[in-house]
Amino acid sequence: MRETTIGLMAERTDLRSVPDLLGARAAINPDHVAFARWIDGEVHDVTIAQFREQVHDLAGGLIAAGVKPGDRVAIMSETCYEWALADFAIWAAGGVVVPIYDTASIPQVERIVSECGVRVAFASDGSHRDVLAHALPGIAVWTFDANPGHDLAALERLGSGVDEVEIERREQLAGPDDLASIVFTSGTTGRQKGVRITHGNFVRLVVQVTQAYGEVVHDRATTIILLPLAHVLAQGLQLVSVYAGMKIVHVGDPKSAVAAMGEVRPTFMVVVPRILEKIRVAARAKAQESKVGSVFAEADRTAIAWGEHLERTQDQPDLRPSRWLVLRHRLFERLFYGRLRALMGGRVDYLLSGASALDPSLGNFFRGVGIPVIEGYGLTETTGPITGNRPGTMRAGSVGIPIPGSSVRISDEGEVLVRGVGVSPGYLNPKDDGESYTDGFYRTGDVGRLDQDGFLYIQGRLKNIIVTASGKNIAPEPWEAVVATDPIVSEAIMVGEGKPYAAAVILLDAEQAAAWARRRGSAELAQQLEAAPTTRDGIRIDDEGIRAHIQRTVDGANAAVSRAEQVRRFIVLMAVPSEDDRTLTPTLKLRRTEFLNTVAHHVHQLYQGENQS
């Protein structure tokens, strides 16, 4: 199949802009709890009516501060409730939201605020206020923390004289084609580009997602937002939650994710695959500490087998598992699976995995444990998801079918082309549009395929394709994804452009590698790994035990690809990519070119007869 389309599931022509989403929910049930906040160690519920009142108070302040319809207003902060207030207040005042990652550097912030023409901004605290003020002297910055005269309380007082009628008038000014937000790409394969997201993009996508995923997003559901709200996926999740009535809890520190899940007991969350892998690894490590590691290994295999069985029953409802599988699953349900679900709050119905590829075995593991993982696919330019698996029709390894109102086409070169309700009309700088659109479709830059039922499978990035000296084209991502499932591996990067064969740079996860060494009685190696300095260009690890372990992982990955795609040599490094040296994006994706440049001398050795495996 070369193209597939899913038609609209619902039309809400009465919803013209993002403020209408908030108004629609408030009209249904003003007393519905929309948010839960932690303040001084206590949970405080916020109803949709209370939230809307706070939004209008801040919108009045922005109007009094001189914000005019169409003005660009920046937000630089970690994920928090105040970000939600600022988002909706900017839209209520008729402004355009410009989200900025809280980890962005001063040069990045300077470029964003100058390109967008920002004159007013919100910051979480004094450090972010100083970054914004340095980037654009004279900018008015209002902080989320206490800062007399310049915080949210002061902004509310400033707007106390603005009539509610004026705020409601401002809310109605924007239409579907008007700009709602300028979201900058993470810059994984190049410089960051500002993407124009319209009110129509947000509204139409929210309506379709809510219709398609009614079993997941509804007014009895609770979600934790962990992703940075500067990311369009998190921004979209927040809008879906408000419109559908799903209670939101914001958690700004991803390290607090597991603890927060136990407290909040969410029914749904958006996560990245790395979080899921860490949960699985933590469960395995705990079992090993309790001297039942081999039992957990069997429980792991059983969960994957059960997940695979559940997938098969989607097409064959009468299919029955073997009695042996049923008995094993029942046993491990009592020993492990129930405890793992309890660790995640005990109420999770579904997880949505995005941002990077989900290994099929990891997805099947969680499905077998009783927590189905919906994998989806999208970009900043598509306002978040453009495809997604649906409850009851999930296929491991696939990113699903188009969101209602969207189409996916595969070009003759294998590139994934998309169009639909969420696809942006273009970039902030028209020069960036270039060849981004063809025949009404946006060119994603990803390589993929559609199966006979219209399910999309992503196979890699066009820009990452490696052409060897013999002319073989290799998409490195499938091989890398398998190797990266090894708990002691942080990143796997295949190389080989213009070379006689494929090779790889393997980065260790220092914490997991040290724990691995201790479990094998190598306390000295564990100490060396923990004490190893994280230099910019990486430290080579030549321990025979680690290399033998990685070799087995590499052999497994090689068995899953063609001979031309198999890695013949690899080098093991201790290195930590970071935003500071631009080897990592704000969304924690590796910038391949930049990182490989920093370890170029190690890569050179792979083709000099050293480190042969």
Side-chain angles (χ1 to χ4, degrees):
M1 181 180 287
R2 300 304 296 271
E3 184 173 333
T4 184
T5 298
I6 301 293
L8 293 171
M9 288 189 69
E11 290 195 61
R12 288 291 304 269
T13 55
D14 57 314
L15 303 178
R16 302 179 66 252
S17 65
V18 175
D20 289 342
L21 297 174
L22 176 57
R25 173 47 54 182
I28 292 171
N29 183 1
D31 297 324
H32 178 74
V33 175
F35 298 88
R37 304 177 64 193
W38 269 303
I39 302 176
D40 298 328
E42 295 183 356
V43 175
H44 294 257
D45 289 339
V46 181
T47 68
I48 197 71
Q50 291 170 332
F51 176 73
R52 194 179 188 209
E53 182 179 356
Q54 289 179 283
V55 165
H56 280 201
D57 288 343
L58 290 178
L62 290 173
I63 292 169
V67 171
K68 297 179 176 57
D71 280 357
R72 285 79 187 274
V73 183
I75 308 174
M76 185 178 187
S77 168
E78 68 282 354
T79 293
C80 60
Y81 171 76
E82 290 79 8
W83 184 305
L85 284 175
D87 252 349
F88 279 93
I90 294 166
W91 286 317
V96 176
V97 175
V98 180
I100 301 176
Y101 287 97
D102 65 315
T103 55
S105 65
I106 289 178
Q108 288 173 322
V109 176
E110 285 178 341
R111 180 167 167 260
I112 290 171
V113 298
S114 62
E115 283 194 16
C116 295
V118 170
R119 288 294 177 269
V120 178
F122 288 97
S124 62
D125 55 27
S127 63
H128 292 134
R129 178 197 60 215
D130 293 344
V131 170
L132 286 161
H134 186 278
L136 193 63
I139 191 173
V141 182
W142 304 88
T143 60
F144 295 159
D145 65 355
N147 182 22
H150 300 282
D151 54 18
L152 297 188
L155 186 59
E156 287 183 5
R157 288 194 297 272
L158 182 63
S160 61
V162 177
D163 195 288
E164 179 71 12
V165 173
E166 173 59 16
I167 298 171
E168 292 177 354
R169 186 188 73 83
R170 288 283 190 100
E171 283 186 314
Q172 298 303 312
L173 289 178
D177 296 330
D178 289 313
L179 196 57
S181 188
I182 302 170
V183 183
F184 279 73
T185 61
S186 60
T188 309
T189 57
R191 70 179 182 84
Q192 293 177 279
K193 295 182 285 188
V195 180
R196 294 185 292 126
I197 308 293
T198 67
H199 283 274
N201 286 143
F202 277 132
V203 170
R204 290 190 294 265
L205 189 65
V206 165
V207 170
Q208 299 310 313
V209 166
T210 305
Q211 284 291 121
Y213 294 90
E215 303 152 81
V216 181
V217 291
H218 48 76
D219 60 9
R220 301 172 308 285
T222 299
T223 190
I224 295 175
I225 296 184
L226 283 169
L227 293 176
L229 279 166
H231 193 295
V232 73
L233 180 57
Q235 200 175 28
L237 171 61
Q238 184 159 266
L239 295 180
V240 166
S241 300
V242 167
Y243 177 67
M246 184 161 56
K247 183 163 73 172
I248 300 170
V249 179
H250 296 94
V251 175
D253 182 4
K255 294 178 182 177
S256 305
V258 175
M261 292 175 79
E263 289 285 336
V264 176
R265 303 186 66 228
T267 61
F268 171 71
M269 281 181 60
V270 174
V271 296
V272 295
R274 195 64 177 165
I275 289 179
L276 297 180
E277 186 59 51
K278 283 183 177 295
I279 291 172
R280 185 189 191 184
V281 167
R284 182 186 297 132
K286 190 171 182 178
Q288 289 168 335
E289 289 172 7
S290 303
K291 310 301 182 184
V292 290
S294 60
V295 180
F296 183 84
E298 182 58 33
D300 190 295
R301 289 189 288 271
T302 298
I304 293 172
W306 191 259
E308 292 170 343
H309 164 71
L310 292 177
E311 180 172 328
R312 288 193 294 270
T313 61
Q314 293 173 161
D315 298 321
Q316 306 173 63
D318 296 331
L319 187 66
R320 296 290 179 265
S322 69
R323 182 169 176 76
W324 178 232
L325 178 57
V326 171
L327 291 173
R328 282 185 298 156
H329 191 267
R330 285 177 183 170
L331 172 64
F332 296 132
E333 166 65 25
R334 292 196 297 270
L335 292 178
F336 297 112
Y337 304 157
R339 294 180 183 182
L340 184 55
R341 292 197 304 273
L343 181 69
M344 300 173 71
R347 293 202 310 155
V348 176
D349 295 323
Y350 294 95
L351 296 174
L352 172 66
S353 176
S356 60
L358 176 71
D359 178 69
S361 69
L362 184 60
N364 279 322
F365 169 80
F366 275 93
R367 190 175 192 174
V369 164
I371 306 174
V373 181
I374 300 169
E375 189 170 9
Y377 166 72
L379 307 93
T380 305
E381 292 86 349
T382 61
T383 317
I386 190 71
T387 70
N389 280 283
R390 308 258 189 100
T393 57
M394 298 193 299
R395 298 189 181 183
S398 164
V399 293
I401 61 176
I403 295 297
S406 305
S407 301
V408 174
R409 175 187 292 176
I410 306 299
S411 74
D412 292 340
E413 295 73 32
E415 183 178 8
V416 179
L417 311 177
V418 297
R419 69 179 176 191
V421 292
V423 176
S424 162
Y427 294 102
L428 180 62
N429 184 344
K431 292 181 181 178
D432 288 330
D433 289 342
E435 299 179 353
S436 297
Y437 296 84
T438 178
D439 192 26
F441 283 77
Y442 174 73
R443 300 182 59 189
T444 67
D446 288 314
V447 178
R449 67 177 178 85
L450 290 167
D451 69 12
Q452 69 275 12
D453 297 316
F455 283 75
L456 177 63
Y457 293 77
I458 299 297
Q459 298 169 308
R461 291 285 298 170
L462 275 176
K463 288 186 177 181
N464 292 343
I465 294 292
I466 295 170
V467 183
T468 64
S470 60
K472 296 289 185 180
N473 285 14
I474 302 173
E477 288 89 351
W479 184 92
E480 293 170 346
V482 174
V483 176
T485 61
D486 188 315
I488 74 170
V489 174
S490 172
E491 296 278 356
I493 307 101
M494 184 187 287
V495 297
E497 181 69 27
K499 302 297 183 181
Y501 52 80
V505 176
I506 309 293
L507 302 189
L508 289 182
D509 182 310
E511 182 180 347
Q512 294 298 331
W516 175 90
R518 280 200 174 84
R519 288 195 296 271
R520 282 153 182 76
S522 303
E524 184 178 349
L525 173 61
Q527 292 173 356
Q528 291 175 353
L529 292 170
E530 290 174 334
T534 53
T535 62
R536 185 172 183 270
D537 56 354
I539 292 176
R540 186 169 128 187
I541 303 296
D542 287 324
D543 177 81
E544 290 184 6
I546 283 182
R547 285 194 59 80
H549 174 88
I550 297 294
Q551 182 66 64
R552 288 191 291 272
T553 300
V554 167
D555 290 344
N558 281 346
V561 297
S562 70
R563 182 172 179 79
E565 297 169 304
Q566 293 176 355
V567 162
R568 298 192 194 178
R569 298 183 180 182
F570 65 85
I571 191 167
V572 181
L573 298 180
M574 285 282 290
V576 181
S578 105
E579 291 181 64
D580 293 337
D581 61 11
R582 291 190 56 75
T583 55
L584 207 63
T585 73
T587 51
L588 306 184
K589 295 177 185 175
L590 190 74
R591 287 190 169 104
R592 300 174 70 95
T593 302
E594 288 81 352
F595 177 75
L596 290 174
N597 284 340
T598 68
V599 297
H601 61 292
H602 292 299
V603 175
H604 180 72
Q605 291 173 2
L606 287 167
Y607 296 96
Q608 295 300 309
E610 297 183 19
N611 307 306
Q612 188 161 354
S613 302

